[in-house]
Amino acid sequence: MPTDSLQRAQRWRKRHLEPGRVKGARFDPNAVLDAQTHAPAREQSPAAAPSPIENLVRLAAKMQALAQAANAELIEVGGRGELVDLEPLRCALREWPTEVVALAPPMPLRVWLALNEFCLPRRSPLWQYPNRDEPMGIARLAQVAGIASNGTSFFVSACDDPERYDWRNWGGED
């Protein structure tokens, strides 16, 4: 280490000694970073990744558009869910983060019924509800169905593949 000048000695220490072994360079959680020297400048690129909130808003708009299209098709075919391709909507539902299921956008009851038809008993109050065009979130679905739940089960089953539960598909190829 040079001893003729303080600047040369500091430069040498900085280059040659391990930062983790120097007492002054230890991590201090209470220290405030000097923005000019320590933090690299972040340049905002025009193609920066969208924030999680922006992603949720975009996905919610996509889900609502798909739900409206599915509702129109269901009205056209008399509510028969097997005649409408609900897979694009199921895929969009699967993209929705599980942490915020309660914030999923409301969809018309007719669409929820078509998505949950394979697991929803016919005696459920949802089938007798008069306004099938009413947009409902999962909490409102649970309320109308009369179950003591936040309605997450409706969302989860709407994401699922109904073919999995069709007993006619069980068993081997005979």
Side-chain angles (χ1 to χ4, degrees):
M1 180 169 111
T3 56
D4 56 336
S5 76
L6 180 61
Q7 290 82 13
R8 284 189 64 212
Q10 286 174 338
R11 244 189 343 251
W12 184 90
R13 283 181 61 100
K14 192 174 182 180
R15 285 188 196 142
H16 292 89
L17 296 179
E18 294 180 50
R21 299 202 48 155
V22 178
K23 188 174 184 178
R26 291 187 182 153
F27 175 71
D28 182 10
N30 299 323
V32 178
L33 285 180
D34 181 13
Q36 280 187 334
T37 58
H38 296 289
R42 255 193 215 180
E43 294 182 25
Q44 292 291 351
S45 66
S51 72
I53 299 293
E54 291 171 329
N55 283 337
L56 274 182
V57 169
R58 192 173 295 122
L59 183 57
K62 176 183 174 182
M63 286 170 55
Q64 285 187 319
L66 288 168
Q68 292 304 323
N71 191 43
E73 284 184 56
L74 285 163
I75 290 171
E76 197 174 294
V77 297
R80 296 181 54 200
E82 68 274 6
L83 299 178
V84 176
D85 181 21
L86 297 170
E87 195 55 32
L89 180 56
R90 286 187 201 281
C91 289
L93 288 168
R94 288 181 199 124
E95 290 178 40
W96 191 262
T98 55
E99 304 84 31
V100 289
V101 166
L103 301 176
M107 295 188 292
L109 176 60
R110 182 178 288 108
V111 175
W112 284 114
L113 290 173
L115 289 168
N116 288 288
E117 185 175 24
F118 68 96
C119 64
L120 193 62
R122 289 290 174 186
R123 65 181 183 276
S124 169
L126 289 171
W127 291 106
Q128 283 75 41
Y129 195 76
N131 184 4
R132 293 203 176 172
D133 288 319
E134 181 181 331
M136 293 187 181
I138 59 170
R140 176 76 176 129
L141 278 172
Q143 181 186 18
V144 170
I147 59 172
S149 163
N150 63 0
T152 304
S153 58
F154 290 111
F155 189 89
V156 171
S157 59
C159 294
D160 213 343
D161 181 16
E163 298 283 321
R164 229 171 70 164
Y165 300 97
D166 189 355
W167 60 271
R168 292 170 292 211
N169 297 335
W170 296 355
E173 312 291 322
D174 292 331

